[in-house]
Amino acid sequence: MTQRIAVVGAGANGAGVGADLTRAGLDVTLIEQWPVHVEAMKARGVRVETDDADPEITPVRVHHVCEVAELRDTFDVALVLVKAYDTRWATELVLPRLADDGLIAGVQNGMTADDVSSLAGARRTLGAVIEVSSTMYEPGVVHRHTPRDRSWFAVGSLGPETRGREEELAGVLRHAGTVAVVDDIRAAKWMKLVSNASVLVPTAALGMPMADALVVPGMRELMERAGQEALDVGRALGHPILPIFGLTADDVAEPSTVVTTMLETLYAGFVRPGATTTVLQDWTKGRRSEAGDINGVVVRAGAATGIPTPVNAAILDVARRIEAGDLTPSPDNLPLLATLARD
């Protein structure tokens, strides 16, 4: 019997992944909230552009969120690829159409797996990590900076209820990139949070592509400090240090060098020239970012565990000022970040 798959959130990553799965012959339905993007995909399919290959145009089945209530078929697998702060409503949206023995996973940034589980139930929820870099500024058009051979996912169970079913999700995502099946998905997601806390909001605050921001004097030190705070908080919460991005256990054996190793691996394998973070894309579009679901999580968990997080607090403060319109993304924000991180 053919698996029916829903991709809830067909933005840059969701549309790109959905196109990969569709081209692999899977039965895929995209669900998206941006009306003109939905209409563009209905009319012309998804156009995926990469730096080193000809564009791929993939006809897709797509529905606007308001059309989900009209669906009658059920889905065997639901992939949630919305912003972390939209996780709960997006999960609620698709749950009535998820098969009783179906699986759902948040394939997104942030520590969202337990949010999904609280709604869908432990027996239908898996956790997932995604490392895919894409941008979208035109409806129906994805520029994918990490094509399939450089895209990476991790999949794992949150508890015994889904042990042994991980391959059902991993097998789907392998059509979009490399997939690791891990025993402790919460720890793997926290390790991704460490990486995101280092890169996503800090580089966006400078208004620069990730590769360009890294070499600004003083920036790398600030990024590594943010990551180290996140790593220390994760350990205080009981999350072991796990290898992600294809690293090995030996690569992360020394806690004091883990953040540097992850940063170097990310930039060597996944960051392409000119690629910007999802946070800067959101700010460019005048949208709210996931800063509160990344650096904000580190700050809140640090307060709960007694671990100081001044750098993440500074990053979150600047992000909030940008979103309030008091600042604009600019290299001029780096001295402010450094000053706030010292206070």
Side-chain angles (χ1 to χ4, degrees):
M1 188 174 186
T2 302
Q3 275 187 320
R4 301 200 68 232
I5 300 161
V7 177
V8 187
N13 280 346
V17 169
D20 285 342
L21 304 186
T22 300
R23 292 178 72 86
L26 279 61
D27 187 335
V28 181
T29 298
L30 306 184
I31 298 169
E32 171 56 26
Q33 60 181 314
W34 185 14
V36 294
H37 178 40
V38 172
E39 294 308 311
M41 290 189 288
K42 286 182 176 181
R44 300 184 295 276
V46 175
R47 178 184 176 96
V48 178
E49 301 174 348
T50 59
D51 295 331
D52 48 11
D54 292 333
E56 293 179 342
I57 299 176
T58 306
V60 293
R61 182 190 304 118
V62 58
H63 295 286
H64 190 275
V65 293
C66 67
E67 298 175 312
V68 174
E70 302 170 10
L71 300 180
R72 294 294 177 265
D73 292 331
T74 57
F75 298 107
D76 302 296
V77 175
L79 309 178
V80 178
L81 282 97
V82 297
K83 300 295 183 182
Y85 52 73
D86 284 332
T87 299
R88 295 187 68 86
W89 73 256
T91 301
E92 290 272 24
L93 177 75
V94 75
L95 274 183
R97 302 270 50 90
L98 184 65
D100 184 65
D101 61 347
L103 291 171
I104 184 169
V107 189
Q108 55 193 159
N109 292 326
M111 300 301 289
T112 60
D114 287 301
D115 290 330
V116 176
S117 181
S118 71
L119 298 169
R123 68 181 181 85
R124 294 198 292 178
T125 306
L126 289 172
V129 179
I130 180 172
E131 183 51 49
V132 175
S133 176
S134 305
T135 56
M136 175 181 287
Y137 292 100
E138 180 183 346
V141 180
V142 177
H143 191 94
R144 189 156 166 180
H145 301 285
T146 51
R148 285 183 292 275
D149 62 350
R150 291 198 298 272
S151 298
W152 183 90
F153 303 86
V155 170
S157 291
L158 300 175
E161 297 85 355
T162 53
R163 296 287 183 205
R165 299 192 66 187
E166 298 89 347
E167 191 58 37
E168 294 177 44
L169 177 58
V172 170
L173 290 175
R174 285 198 183 96
H175 295 290
T178 300
V179 182
V181 177
V182 300
D183 292 330
D184 190 339
I185 191 62
R186 289 184 181 87
K189 285 186 73 62
W190 191 274
M191 293 302 295
K192 177 64 188 307
L193 187 75
V194 170
S195 176
N196 285 345
S198 305
V199 177
L200 292 192
V201 186
T203 64
L206 270 59
M208 301 173 71
M210 288 178 277
D212 296 341
L214 183 68
V215 298
V216 174
M219 185 60 175
R220 178 167 181 147
E221 178 188 1
L222 184 136
M223 292 167 67
E224 291 186 346
R225 287 177 60 199
Q228 190 62 49
E229 288 178 2
L231 188 72
D232 292 343
V233 170
R235 297 180 74 192
L237 291 171
H239 296 308
I241 297 174
L242 294 183
I244 61 172
F245 303 155
L247 293 169
T248 68
D250 288 342
D251 294 326
V252 296
E254 175 48 57
S256 65
T257 63
V258 167
V259 173
T260 298
T261 299
M262 288 177 58
L263 192 64
E264 291 175 349
T265 300
L266 179 73
Y267 270 76
F270 299 96
V271 174
R272 310 299 292 173
T276 59
T277 73
T278 179
V279 172
L280 185 55
Q281 294 168 48
D282 286 336
W283 289 343
T284 301
K285 298 171 185 176
R287 297 182 55 185
R288 171 188 174 193
S289 78
E290 293 177 303
D293 300 280
I294 299 171
N295 303 90
V297 169
V298 177
V299 171
R300 293 190 292 274
T305 56
I307 304 296
T309 57
V311 180
N312 281 276
I315 292 167
L316 184 61
D317 186 3
V318 168
R320 286 173 172 166
R321 295 190 200 186
I322 290 171
E323 292 178 7
D326 298 328
L327 293 173
T328 58
S330 166
D332 294 339
N333 291 327
L334 182 54
L336 175 60
L337 282 167
T339 299
L340 291 172
R342 289 196 298 267
D343 292 344

